[in-house]
Amino acid sequence: MTTSRKDHKILLSESEMPTQWYNIVPDLAAPPPPALHPGTKEPAGPADFEPLFPLALILQEVSMERYIDIPDEVLDIYRMWRPSPLYRAHRLEKALDTPARIYYKYEGVSPAGSHKPNTAVAQAYYNKQEGVKKLTTETGAGQWGSALAFACALFDMECEVWQVRSSYDQKPYRKALIETFGGVVHPSPSDLTEAGRAILQANPASPGSLGIAISEAVEVAAPLPEVRYALGSVLNHVLLHQTIIGEEVLLQLAKVEETPDVLVGCVGGGSNFGGLSFPFMREKMAGTMNPRITAVEPSACPSLTKGLYTYDFGDAAGMTPLMKMHTLGHDFVPDPIHAGGLRYHGMSPLLSHIYELGMLDAVAINQNECFDAGVQFARTEGIVPAPEPTHAIAGTIREALDAKEEGEERVIVTALCGHGLLDLTAYDRYFAGEMNDSAYPEERVQEAMTRIPAV
Ligand SMILES: *Cc1c(COP(=O)(O)O)cnc(C)c1O
C-alpha cells in the first residue's frame, strides 16, 4: 500500500519509529552561552544542578553528542501512542481556498493530550534510575502536570504539582486528570512555600505565573535527596526529547515526497517548537531543504519579539541559575490568557540563541485571532485545538492566505501540539464575547525589565 498526498493521515508503523533524539548543539555555528551561578555569576557546573536534576539529565543538558539513544523502556512507553499521525488538512485548505498544502503533526493522541509526555516519560525514567521517589513541578494550563503525573504513575513515583492559580480556577478538569494519574495539585501561589507566601502577602489575588510556580516546586525539591524537580519546557534536555516529533515528520513527509516551504509552531518555553523544527534545521544546514521557520507567540507574553536577550532567572523568586535568553523580566506576570502554556516570561536559552543566529523568525498574535483560527480549524478538521496551538494555526492560516495571494503551492507544516477538550471554558468565553484581546502590556514589561539582574 502506498501513501499519497491525497490521503488524510500519513502514518508510520511502530517499527519505523525513530530510536534516537537529535541534539542540535554540536551542529550550530556558535555554542550557546552557559548558564551562570546566581551568586558568583560564574558558569554553573553540574554540581549546581544536582539538587534539582538526576545526573543523566544534567549530562544531556550539556551534551555534545549529535544523537542520543532513546532507552528501550522509554521507547516501549512511547509505543502506547507513537508514532503520532501527520495529517493533511484537506478541509481547512478548501475552506481557505488556498493552493497551499497544509500538514499538521498531531500530538494530542498522547495519554495526557499533548506533546508533553515525550519528555515526561524520559525524565521520570532517568529519575527512577537514580533512586528518586518523588518529582515536583509547575504547570500552567495543566498539560505538563498531567503528563508528569502520567509518567510518574508508570514508574511508581510520587508527583506534586503547583498549578498556576488562573488555570487552576479556569480548568478544574486538568486537576482531576492529574489526580486520576495519582498526582497531588496545589494552586500557585500557595502558602506551602516561602516563595508563594511572599507573593500572596504582596498580592492575595495574584493570578500566578509559571515563574512563581517554578519557584515553589524548586523550593520543595532542592533540600530533599529523594525528591527532584522536573521542568516541562525551556531546558536543552526537554527540547532534545521532543525532537522525536520532527524526526517522525521528516519520515512522514518523505512518504509523500514533500519538502516544506515553511514550518510554523507555537512557542511558550520552546519545546514543541524545538522538537518540530530542530531536525529540519539540521536538514537545512546540510542543504537538503530550505524551509522558512516561524515561531508564533501570544501578544500578551511576547518574549522572542519584545524581550531582552540577556541573563535572567528562570523563576520569579530568583532561585534558579541565570540563563541567557529572551526575557520579559523574571517577575513579569502576564495577563491570564487562556493559553496558559505560553505564559512564561522567558524562552528556551537554546532556542533564543538559535533565534540570535538568525535561524528562525517570530511573530506575536493576539488572543482573538488565535481563537478565530482554532474555531475554523475545529469546524473543518474536526479537532478542537488547545489554546496554545491555536497560535500555530493562526500563523498557518496567515501563510495559507498569503500563498493564495501569491498564487503559490506553498507546503506548510505545523504542529498541533495538543487538543483542547479540557479547555472548553476558554471557547465558552470566546463565544460569549468575553475574551480580551490581550495586546502587548508594554508599560508593565518595561517595569519588570528594570529588575533583571546585571551580569
Ligand atoms: C506546554 C504546552 C505548550 C507550551 O510549551 P512549549 O514548551 O513552548 O511547547 C504549547 N502547547 C501545548 C499543548 C502545551 O501543553
Side-chain angles (χ1 to χ4, degrees):
M1 271 207 332
T2 55
T3 312
S4 91
R5 293 176 190 171
K6 292 209 174 81
D7 289 345
H8 289 75
K9 301 184 293 301
I10 302 156
L11 303 174
L12 300 173
S13 68
E14 289 186 16
S15 63
E16 291 173 295
M17 189 171 79
T19 58
Q20 294 183 312
W21 294 303
Y22 168 58
N23 178 18
I24 196 172
V25 175
D27 285 342
L28 296 175
L36 303 182
H37 187 278
T40 64
K41 313 246 165 101
E42 293 296 317
D48 296 314
F49 292 98
E50 270 167 24
L52 294 182
F53 301 111
L55 190 61
L57 292 177
I58 296 171
L59 294 176
Q60 288 184 357
E61 193 62 22
V62 296
S63 173
M64 286 302 278
E65 300 289 323
R66 288 184 85 213
Y67 291 97
I68 294 179
D69 288 336
I70 306 174
D72 286 342
E73 268 184 83
V74 174
L75 286 173
D76 202 48
I77 294 172
Y78 277 180
R79 285 189 202 101
M80 292 167 75
W81 70 93
R82 305 208 72 84
S84 67
L86 180 73
Y87 285 91
R88 168 99 188 259
H90 288 294
R91 287 183 170 77
L92 178 63
E93 289 170 18
K94 200 158 172 216
L96 297 171
D97 189 26
T98 176
R101 296 194 292 280
I102 302 173
Y103 294 88
Y104 59 96
K105 178 69 163 169
Y106 187 41
E107 290 293 311
V109 293
S110 82
S114 76
H115 65 291
K116 297 279 189 353
N118 297 333
T119 185
V121 168
Q123 292 191 46
Y125 167 82
Y126 291 115
N127 274 285
K128 181 75 179 184
Q129 293 285 102
E130 296 183 27
V132 173
K133 300 270 193 296
K134 172 166 145 179
L135 291 175
T136 69
T137 197
E138 77 295 331
T139 197
Q143 279 127 334
W144 171 240
S146 36
L148 193 68
F150 156 71
C152 285
L154 296 185
F155 288 102
D156 199 18
M157 297 163 79
E158 288 175 58
C159 181
E160 191 171 8
V161 181
W162 275 262
Q163 181 172 8
V164 174
R165 176 98 232 178
S166 56
S167 314
Y168 183 91
D169 293 338
Q170 278 169 11
K171 300 185 176 171
Y173 295 117
R174 275 287 164 191
K175 170 173 176 282
L177 184 58
I178 293 169
E179 288 171 347
T180 303
F181 286 133
V184 173
V185 194
H186 315 290
S188 168
S190 75
D191 59 8
L192 300 168
T193 65
E194 259 175 55
R197 286 190 293 269
I199 304 272
L200 286 173
Q201 199 160 28
N203 177 12
S206 169
S209 70
L210 279 166
I212 296 168
I214 292 172
S215 296
E216 297 204 86
V218 164
E219 184 183 319
V220 169
L224 303 170
E226 290 188 338
V227 181
R228 288 286 180 274
Y229 163 71
L231 188 58
S233 184
V234 178
L235 296 179
N236 299 357
H237 67 266
V238 180
L239 275 61
L240 172 80
H241 300 153
Q242 295 295 354
T243 57
I244 183 125
I245 299 173
E247 295 291 12
E248 286 182 1
V249 175
L250 276 169
L251 298 175
Q252 287 164 312
L253 288 176
K255 290 204 172 203
V256 292
E257 297 177 343
E258 291 277 34
T259 49
D261 295 306
V262 56
L263 295 180
V264 185
C266 68
V267 282
S271 74
N272 91 84
F273 185 83
L276 172 71
S277 64
F278 287 176
F280 285 88
M281 290 182 187
R282 174 189 66 217
E283 297 306 311
K284 195 167 167 168
M285 287 185 277
T288 63
M289 52 179 75
N290 191 24
R292 277 186 293 117
I293 300 179
T294 301
V296 184
E297 58 186 8
S299 303
C301 193
S303 51
L304 275 180
T305 53
K306 301 282 191 186
L308 293 177
Y309 182 54
T310 185
Y311 276 99
D312 197 4
F313 297 109
D315 70 319
M319 294 190 287
T320 67
L322 291 161
M323 298 181 291
K324 190 160 186 186
M325 60 183 175
H326 291 86
T327 176
L328 300 167
H330 57 276
D331 60 3
F332 169 65
V333 178
D335 288 341
I337 52 168
H338 294 281
L342 308 184
R343 278 182 81 233
Y344 184 58
H345 67 272
M347 180 50 61
S348 149
L350 179 55
L351 196 65
S352 292
H353 173 67
I354 289 173
Y355 184 58
E356 290 296 308
L357 292 177
M359 295 168 71
L360 64 125
D361 42 52
V363 313
I365 301 186
N366 287 17
Q367 186 160 236
N368 273 312
E369 181 179 338
C370 294
F371 273 82
D372 291 344
V375 167
Q376 183 168 30
F377 189 87
R379 289 179 184 175
T380 50
E381 293 299 311
I383 298 172
V384 179
E388 293 83 2
T390 63
H391 292 72
I393 296 166
T396 297
I397 290 176
R398 284 187 182 188
E399 284 287 343
L401 293 177
D402 184 64
K404 176 174 163 177
E405 207 150 288
E406 303 289 323
E408 259 179 52
E409 283 193 27
R410 199 173 293 175
V411 177
I412 306 169
V413 176
T414 191
L416 181 53
C417 49
H419 70 67
L421 293 178
L422 295 178
D423 304 286
L424 291 175
T425 12
Y427 283 86
D428 228 16
R429 295 281 142 76
Y430 169 80
F431 292 124
E434 286 168 10
M435 188 167 273
N436 71 44
D437 210 30
S438 67
Y440 173 51
E442 181 162 4
E443 272 175 34
R444 287 198 298 118
V445 170
Q446 295 301 334
E447 202 259 328
M449 280 178 174
T450 62
R451 289 182 299 277
I452 294 175
V455 171

